[in-house]
């Protein structure tokens, strides 16, 4: 779990685990970016089927599906989730993820530097 996001990043509950096969089956119908489904659409469809799952936990279920390789090449963008068979698209998605990771690392390092500065400033006061 991630500090400050314990509820959002908690392991899948037994109930959520029971939904994984339904998600896997659904994603296999979303081949190609043109067939992408948004998190909001998934929420609506799941509620229509009588399932109680929110957008945050859908992302956690998707994360589980990806980490367990249950749906290969399950990509996402602002257009939603889809399965890709396009090598170029997959490589571009990986590059996008690497860019996001790099950007987060820059912010993390800046805040670490600020904390070190704060620590050194406080030590100099005594």
């Amino acid at each position: 779990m991630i500090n400050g996001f314990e509820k959002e990043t908690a392991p899948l509950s037994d109930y959520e685990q029971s939904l994984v096969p339904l998600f896997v089956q659904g994603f296999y119908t979303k081949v190609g970016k043109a067939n992408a489904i948004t998190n909001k659409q998934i929420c609506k469809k799941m509620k229509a089927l009588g399932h109680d799952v929110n957008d945050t936990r859908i992302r956690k279920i998707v994360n589980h599906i990806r980490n367990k390789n249950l749906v290969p090449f399950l990509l996402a963008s602002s257009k939603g989730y889809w399965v890709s068979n396009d090598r170029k698209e997959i490589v571009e998605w990986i590059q996008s993820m690497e860019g996001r990771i790099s950007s987060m690392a820059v912010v993390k390092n800046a805040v670490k530097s600020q904390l070190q500065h704060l620590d050194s400033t406080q030590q100099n006061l005594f």
Side-chain angles (χ1 to χ4, degrees):
M1 285 190 282
I2 299 173
N3 278 346
F5 297 92
E6 290 80 5
K7 185 177 177 185
E8 293 86 352
T9 60
L12 294 183
S13 67
D14 289 343
Y15 175 69
E16 290 165 339
Q17 283 277 359
S18 75
L19 298 178
V20 169
L22 188 58
F23 275 71
V24 168
Q25 179 184 356
F27 285 132
Y28 273 116
T29 69
K30 304 302 175 201
V31 177
K33 197 173 196 173
N35 296 309
I37 185 168
T38 66
N39 193 309
K40 186 176 181 178
Q41 290 170 320
I42 295 170
C43 269
K44 189 174 179 179
K45 286 180 182 262
M46 294 303 286
K47 287 185 195 298
L49 293 171
H51 297 292
D52 181 28
V53 63
N54 64 35
D55 60 335
T56 303
R57 296 310 289 173
I58 286 172
R59 286 189 292 277
K60 184 67 178 181
I61 291 168
V62 169
N63 181 272
H64 172 83
I65 289 168
R66 286 174 167 158
N67 289 333
K68 298 294 182 183
N69 296 312
L70 301 177
V71 179
F73 306 118
L74 177 57
L75 308 185
S77 73
S78 59
K79 300 207 181 287
Y81 299 102
W82 75 96
V83 176
S84 180
N85 292 321
D86 181 331
R87 187 178 198 294
K88 182 179 180 227
E89 184 176 68
I90 295 164
V91 169
E92 287 173 354
W93 185 85
I94 291 169
Q95 290 170 340
S96 173
M97 289 292 288
E98 289 171 342
R100 291 167 62 192
I101 292 165
S102 176
S103 177
M104 291 174 75
V106 168
V107 172
K108 177 199 69 150
N109 290 336
V111 174
K112 276 178 86 172
S113 175
Q114 294 163 16
L115 182 60
Q116 289 171 343
H117 178 71
L118 176 66
D119 289 345
S120 69
T121 302
Q122 288 179 346
Q123 287 176 0
N124 290 337
L125 292 176
F126 299 104

